[in-house]
Amino acid sequence: MSVGETGVSMLISVRMDPPLPLMFLILINGVSSAEWGVNYRHSHICALNDSSVILSCNYTYPTGYQIRELFWTKNPVKVEKLRDLSEDPEYSQRFQYLGDEQQNCTIKLSHVTQKDEHMYFFRFTTNVTYGNWTGYPGVSLTVTDLQVESPETVTEGNSVRLTCNSSCALTDRATFIWYRNSQPLTERRDRNNQLLLQSVRREDAGRYSCGVQGHTYISPAVQLNVTYPPKIVSLSISPSGEIVEGDSVTLICSSDSNPPAEITWFKGLMIVGSGRIYSILKISSDHSGEYKCKSRNKHGEKYSETVTLNVMYPPRNVSVSITESGQIWNGDSVTLICSSDSNPPAPNFSWFKENQMSSVGSGQSLSVIQSGRFYCEAHNQHGSQRSDAVTVTVKVAGRLVILYISIGVVSGASVIITVLLIW
Ligand SMILES: *[C@@H]1O[C@H](CO)[C@@H](O)[C@H](O)[C@H]1NC(C)=O
Ligand SMILES: *[C@@H]1O[C@H](CO)[C@@H](O)[C@H](O)[C@H]1NC(C)=O
Ligand SMILES: *[C@@H]1O[C@H](CO)[C@@H](O)[C@H](O)[C@H]1NC(C)=O
Ligand SMILES: *[C@@H]1O[C@H](CO)[C@@H](O)[C@H](O)[C@H]1NC(C)=O
Ligand SMILES: *[C@@H]1O[C@H](CO)[C@@H](O)[C@H](O)[C@H]1NC(C)=O
Ligand SMILES: *[C@@H]1O[C@H](CO)[C@@H](O)[C@H](O)[C@H]1NC(C)=O
Ligand SMILES: *[C@@H]1O[C@H](CO)[C@@H](O)[C@H](O)[C@H]1NC(C)=O
């Protein structure tokens, strides 16, 4: 219901001193106050920030009056201080009167912002002293921005509902537009201010914002994170290719997961480390073995494939073993065997006699018939090592000759001589 000044004074008069003043008013004006009025289509308008709003309005007054002034004003406190919005610098550029001088008092306000949140009223005055009217209770304007309401995270496969919230329900029918990473989601245009993502995939993660069709204003973006267990867990070795003792080797475990996974490193069944990178400075053959990594977050865990580290190294612990004692009798032979530890195994062997430049043989064993100090050298593509020397002594027997001579005289003159030679 609208109450004009005439009405107010009338009501006050009625309370103070009924009913004469009412009679007086009616007599003076010659009309019923029911004919005075301002109708607003909406008593409350909720508009989007930076949009234009139409305040639809019509007014009536008794016939026989002439309109003097028509204007819109805000937050009236005292009638004497009413200010015409079209003359207010804060509004004059954005204010447009669409009405007329008979009954239509519609206006348009452009680029409304939160600063424009007030009560607005239409007032008109006539050529009659008490024929002035302000249309109470006016129109309240609320200006809203848009906020995406969304859970911060959703787990892959679940569904999630995003809401384009405004602080008040928009008066104009709004078609909502959703954006992911600033790209409009063309398939989602809806009068409903909600966006339902069913069976979320990780590609649905992103920064979501919303807007209303026909308006440039777009809400601030809100990050939606999609969490999922580790999917692709891969293990890479740097440098790739052959690994030689002493190299620095880095194992890297890559996995796709959200939130980021905790990585555990295994050598065989033993846990040997954690973290995405497992570095071995100066690798040794002890590090040879089967490695894998495990990627784990709160949604699940997954192992990488197993990779084998095969650390190459040159021969070491090269030694010569000798059958028997190293003493042989002249004419016999002794076999020397060269053994070593290397990777790749089965290196090449060379045999040397001390104080002799050239090798005296090759192969893992050497047959020796002479005295001397012998050593072997084992070599593979990564290096070589020589053994300690072993001594071979060839004993020459003392050519001991035992003559056993028995001389016997048997009947007659025959003599038998038996000779026994022992070497
Ligand atoms: C004036 O406004 C009221 C309320 O919005 C509406 O019912 C009425 O039809 C309007 N009158 C005219 C003449 O447009
Ligand atoms: C309203 O829109 C104006 C102009 O686009 C902008 O500068 C301002 O930040 C917006 N206000 C809010 C609360 O979003
Ligand atoms: C107001 O204007 C109307 C129309 O011009 C006229 O008939 C009427 O006499 C005026 N009333 C007063 C009080 O001046
Ligand atoms: C008032 O004027 C506006 C703008 O010209 C128009 O859109 C609206 O329909 C009019 N309202 C009435 C009740 O005549
Ligand atoms: C009505 O408005 C006119 C201006 O149009 C003003 O001169 C007059 O004093 C007002 N009357 C009352 C009773 O306020
Ligand atoms: C946003 O909208 C939802 C659904 O209408 C409501 O539950 C929530 O309270 C709103 N939040 C704010 C900040 O307005
Ligand atoms: C969501 O993801 C972003 C970027 O990936 C990240 O910075 C942020 O911490 C995540 N938030 C939550 C709650 O997981």
Side-chain angles (χ1 to χ4, degrees):
M1 181 192 122
S2 298
V3 179
E5 284 149 40
T6 341
V8 169
S9 55
M10 172 189 82
L11 283 172
I12 290 166
S13 305
V14 165
R15 276 193 211 115
M16 285 165 63
D17 196 5
L20 278 175
L22 174 63
M23 294 302 292
F24 172 75
L25 255 175
I26 291 172
L27 285 174
I28 289 216
N29 292 339
V31 292
S32 128
S33 66
E35 288 181 49
W36 294 88
V38 174
N39 289 307
Y40 303 107
R41 185 144 81 164
H42 302 286
S43 57
H44 179 89
I45 292 181
C46 170
L48 193 59
N49 183 29
D50 204 30
S51 68
S52 297
V53 292
I54 304 274
L55 276 63
S56 275
C57 160
N58 63 30
Y59 62 102
T60 55
Y61 55 95
T63 49
Y65 285 70
Q66 198 178 17
I67 295 294
R68 282 261 170 82
E69 288 180 305
L70 321 147
F71 62 92
W72 280 79
T73 187
K74 68 175 185 186
N75 302 342
V77 182
K78 284 189 173 163
V79 165
E80 307 84 62
K81 290 189 179 167
L82 293 183
R83 190 162 184 195
D84 183 348
L85 284 188
S86 67
E87 287 165 7
D88 182 335
E90 278 194 31
Y91 288 87
S92 54
Q93 299 297 310
R94 304 183 287 126
F95 179 94
Q96 198 181 353
Y97 188 74
L98 304 176
D100 54 33
E101 305 226 329
Q102 280 88 49
Q103 56 175 12
N104 192 335
C105 44
T106 300
I107 56 163
K108 179 179 175 183
L109 267 184
S110 310
H111 300 293
V112 293
T113 64
Q114 249 118 15
K115 281 202 298 187
D116 299 325
E117 291 190 334
H118 298 293
M119 293 297 295
Y120 292 89
F121 304 85
F122 177 66
R123 174 176 170 81
F124 62 94
T125 62
T126 64
N127 65 338
V128 176
T129 309
Y130 289 100
N132 296 349
W133 191 273
T134 304
Y136 288 99
V139 180
S140 76
L141 175 63
T142 309
V143 177
T144 181
D145 52 1
L146 298 173
Q147 293 286 343
V148 174
E149 295 255 309
S150 157
E152 276 184 345
T153 61
V154 57
T155 301
E156 196 174 47
N158 290 359
S159 66
V160 65
R161 193 183 295 271
L162 281 67
T163 306
C164 188
N165 267 37
S166 46
S167 58
C168 50
L170 292 171
T171 302
D172 289 339
R173 288 222 310 171
T175 298
F176 289 89
I177 304 172
W178 287 90
Y179 301 85
R180 182 176 57 233
N181 302 328
S182 302
Q183 297 299 309
L185 300 175
T186 47
E187 73 273 26
R188 320 265 187 185
R189 278 169 196 254
D190 212 334
R191 296 221 182 277
N192 187 334
N193 66 342
Q194 296 196 322
L195 173 66
L196 177 65
L197 299 173
Q198 271 169 319
S199 189
V200 167
R201 296 164 306 152
R202 68 188 79 164
E203 301 80 58
D204 292 325
R207 298 179 60 72
Y208 283 85
S209 47
C210 63
V212 169
Q213 195 159 37
H215 296 275
T216 48
Y217 175 82
I218 294 177
S219 76
V222 166
Q223 175 73 33
L224 175 68
N225 287 4
V226 178
T227 59
Y228 49 92
K231 284 285 161 67
I232 304 157
V233 182
S234 66
L235 198 176
S236 64
I237 303 175
S238 166
S240 58
E242 197 173 66
I243 294 163
V244 181
E245 202 167 54
D247 286 354
S248 285
V249 173
T250 303
L251 304 183
I252 299 168
C253 189
S254 320
S255 83
D256 180 21
S257 70
N258 192 15
E262 285 173 17
I263 307 290
T264 309
W265 288 92
F266 292 86
K267 180 185 178 206
L269 297 172
M270 292 267 296
I271 292 176
V272 292
S274 62
R276 206 173 72 82
I277 295 176
Y278 180 58
S279 291
I280 307 170
L281 295 173
K282 287 191 166 274
I283 200 168
S284 76
S285 59
D286 293 343
H287 292 109
S288 288
E290 295 195 323
Y291 288 80
K292 66 185 171 194
C293 62
K294 181 176 80 174
S295 175
R296 177 171 179 277
N297 70 8
K298 65 181 167 193
H299 301 291
E301 63 179 41
K302 198 170 177 183
Y303 285 88
S304 69
E305 77 277 24
T306 299
V307 300
T308 301
L309 276 193
N310 185 14
V311 181
M312 301 295 170
Y313 52 94
R316 60 192 179 202
N317 302 329
V318 179
S319 63
V320 174
S321 58
I322 185 165
T323 55
E324 298 145 30
S325 65
Q327 294 190 353
I328 51 172
W329 298 97
N330 201 4
D332 281 353
S333 70
V334 68
T335 300
L336 306 183
I337 294 171
C338 188
S339 58
S340 80
D341 172 22
S342 74
N343 192 9
N348 295 317
F349 297 96
S350 303
W351 290 93
F352 296 90
K353 190 177 180 187
E354 258 180 13
N355 304 323
Q356 201 168 306
M357 288 298 281
S358 57
S359 84
V360 296
S362 63
Q364 197 167 7
S365 61
L366 180 71
S367 194
V368 172
I369 54 170
Q370 321 158 281
S371 293
R373 284 172 61 72
F374 295 88
Y375 62 86
C376 70
E377 189 179 273
H379 41 97
N380 66 9
Q381 60 265 50
H382 304 294
S384 63
Q385 194 184 57
R386 65 164 59 174
S387 69
D388 290 339
V390 296
T391 304
V392 174
T393 310
V394 177
K395 292 219 162 181
V396 178
R399 294 211 177 214
L400 173 67
V401 178
I402 299 167
L403 283 175
Y404 180 81
I405 302 165
S406 103
I407 299 163
V409 179
V410 192
S411 56
S414 68
V415 175
I416 300 156
I417 300 169
T418 310
V419 178
L420 185 66
L421 287 176
I422 302 170
W423 288 84

